[in-house]
Amino acid sequence: MQLLRLKAGDVDLSADAVTLYDGKGARLQPRRHVLPLTKSAHEILERRLAATAADAPLFSIHSKSSMRHETLSALVTDISDKMLKADPPEAREPFQLRDLRRTVETQLAALRISSDVRAQLQSHGLGGIQQRHYDRHDYMLESTRRCSSGRSTSRR
């Protein structure tokens, strides 16, 4: 949902970062959630920015409002169906939009990325006392590392 609401002003290609806004929980103001961009994400957003008006959402069907979660969910289900019907099948089993986050979490764990960094990347459970009052670290360096290779993928 946070990504679907992304607007041009939330993307900083020179810093290879996007700012999402986490409105979950009983917050009066959404929490800013800055995430690094991979090279491929940078390229995709660069193309989207070139094709999108400054005040329009980056992910939209009609360029007027953000794509609805239900629309994206239906598109993912359609992709899953087509992958299953391919000869040979390109997917082992049907999947839904929510499965993508679970897969990301699982793959990050397989890369030995700590649960704290995974929580930061996916904006999970970040409303506790420690996060709200004490931990001011932005986790950008940790978010750009690939534990499997031991080197940073940051382009800074």
Side-chain angles (χ1 to χ4, degrees):
M1 296 296 291
Q2 294 170 40
L3 186 60
L4 290 178
R5 291 189 296 261
L6 191 67
K7 296 192 184 270
D10 301 326
V11 178
D12 185 349
L13 293 177
S14 64
D16 282 333
V18 296
T19 301
L20 303 178
Y21 294 92
D22 181 358
K24 293 182 295 205
R27 294 184 174 94
L28 296 176
Q29 295 292 325
R31 182 181 68 83
R32 289 180 75 245
H33 187 64
V34 180
L35 291 171
L37 294 173
T38 63
K39 182 180 178 185
S40 58
H42 178 108
E43 292 167 357
I44 290 166
L45 289 174
E46 191 170 38
R47 287 192 305 270
R48 291 298 309 144
L49 286 168
T52 306
D55 59 344
L58 289 179
F59 303 106
S60 176
I61 299 292
H62 305 292
S63 300
K64 295 177 184 164
S65 59
S66 297
M67 182 184 292
R68 294 179 47 87
H69 174 267
E70 297 83 1
T71 303
L72 182 57
S73 185
L75 291 170
V76 170
T77 299
D78 186 49
I79 291 169
S80 172
D81 291 344
K82 288 178 180 171
M83 289 177 73
L84 288 166
K85 291 176 184 170
D87 187 23
E90 296 173 353
R92 292 186 205 141
E93 58 188 56
F95 58 90
Q96 299 175 359
L97 179 60
R98 65 179 177 213
D99 295 323
L100 298 178
R101 280 179 66 95
R102 183 176 22 247
T103 300
V104 167
E105 180 81 18
T106 302
Q107 292 301 308
L108 290 172
L111 291 170
R112 297 185 176 161
I113 297 194
S114 75
S115 61
D116 292 342
V117 172
R118 293 192 320 261
Q120 285 291 331
L121 286 169
Q122 295 219 42
S123 190
H124 288 166
L126 303 177
I129 296 294
Q130 179 183 6
Q131 182 65 33
R132 276 197 313 262
H133 299 294
Y134 301 109
D135 186 355
R136 299 293 184 214
H137 185 54
D138 65 10
Y139 291 86
M140 287 295 282
L141 180 60
E142 293 84 354
S143 298
T144 58
R145 286 196 176 151
R146 291 191 54 159
C147 291
S148 63
S149 66
R151 67 177 191 261
S152 173
T153 58
S154 175
R155 298 180 345 152
R156 290 189 215 173

